[in-house]
Amino acid sequence: GAGVSQSPSNKVTEKGKDVELRCDPISGHTALYWYRQRLGQGLEFLIYFQGNSAPDKSGLPSDRFSAERTGESVSTLTIQRTQQEDSAVYLCASSLQGTNTEAFFGQGTRLTVV
Amino acid sequence: AQSVAQPEDQVNVAEGNPLTVKCTYSVSGNPYLFWYVQYPNRGLQFLLKYITGDNLVKGSYGFEAEFNKSQTSFHLKKPSALVSDSALYFCAVPLDNYGQNFVFGPGTRLSVLP
C-alpha cells in the first residue's frame, strides 16, 4: 500500500478483555515500531522489529503486552486483560533499513477501555 | 544516552508571523536529528532531518530547521505561519548509532492565531 495501515481505527473494549491491533507497514520496510500516545502526551516506545533480528521489547509496559511480526510484513500488538490505563492511541511506524531513515506512521488505533 | 528536550509545551504565534519551535539535544557521536508533526487526530508525519552538511535544512510545508552544534540545538522555523500549521511538533533523535529506533521529545503544541 501507499502508507502504513492500522486497524481498527477505533476500538472500545471492556476491562479484562483481550484486544489485538494490526499494522501493515509499507512494502519493503524492514523496521517496524509500535508507540503508545496517551491523550495530549508524547510518544512512548513499546517495541521495535528490524528484519529477522530479535525485537527490542524494552518498552513493553507489562507482560500483558506482546507483539508479533511475520517476516517483514504485518505486525500485531496484543494486549491481554485490558485495563483502563491502557486507553490510548497506539501508533505503528515503519522505515527502510539503514541508518537515519525517517519513519512513516500510520493513523493509529484509538483504544478505549471501559 | 541519546535524548532531546523541547523546552516549551505550547507556542502561540499570530498568522503571518515567523515561528520557532525549540529543540535541544544530547547525543554521543554525530547528531542525527528529526522533526515530525502531528495534526489533530492523525499519525505523525516526517518534516525534515539533519544528517550532515548544511546547517540549514529545508523540509515539507515551508518548514526549515537550523542545526547549531555549539548550542546543541535544532530549532524548527517557518518565516510566515499559517493557521493550518497548528499542530503538535516532535523533535526526535535515533536511540543509537544504527539510527533505527528513535527517542522523541515530549512535543510542543503550536497554535497559530488568525
Side-chain angles (χ1 to χ4, degrees), chain B residues 11 20 38-39 43 45 60-63 68 81 90 98 105-106 108 113:
Chain B
V11 170
T20 298
Q38 185 178 34
Y39 296 104
Q45 296 179 34
S60 307
Y61 312 120
F63 283 91
N68 188 316
F90 293 95
Y98 300 101
T108 298
L113 309 173

Side-chain angles (χ1 to χ4, degrees), chain A residues 24-95:
Chain A
D24 280 277
I26 294 172
S27 178
H29 281 193
T30 58
L32 186 146
Y33 320 75
W34 283 98
Y35 292 88
R36 178 169 69 180
Q37 185 178 30
R38 291 198 166 101
L39 186 63
Q41 297 188 20
L43 274 69
E44 178 185 359
F45 166 72
L46 296 177
I47 188 169
Y48 161 57
F49 296 90
Q50 171 57 278
N52 294 320
S53 302
D56 178 355
K57 302 181 180 181
S58 60
L60 294 179
S62 77
D63 59 7
R64 296 187 295 105
F65 287 72
S66 62
E68 299 291 332
R69 187 183 187 195
T70 305
E72 296 181 356
S73 62
V74 171
S75 175
T76 54
L77 176 69
T78 301
I79 308 173
Q80 296 179 310
R81 305 181 302 281
T82 52
Q83 304 295 314
Q84 287 187 329
E85 62 262 28
D86 298 335
S87 296
V89 175
Y90 289 82
L91 292 167
C92 176
S94 70
S95 70

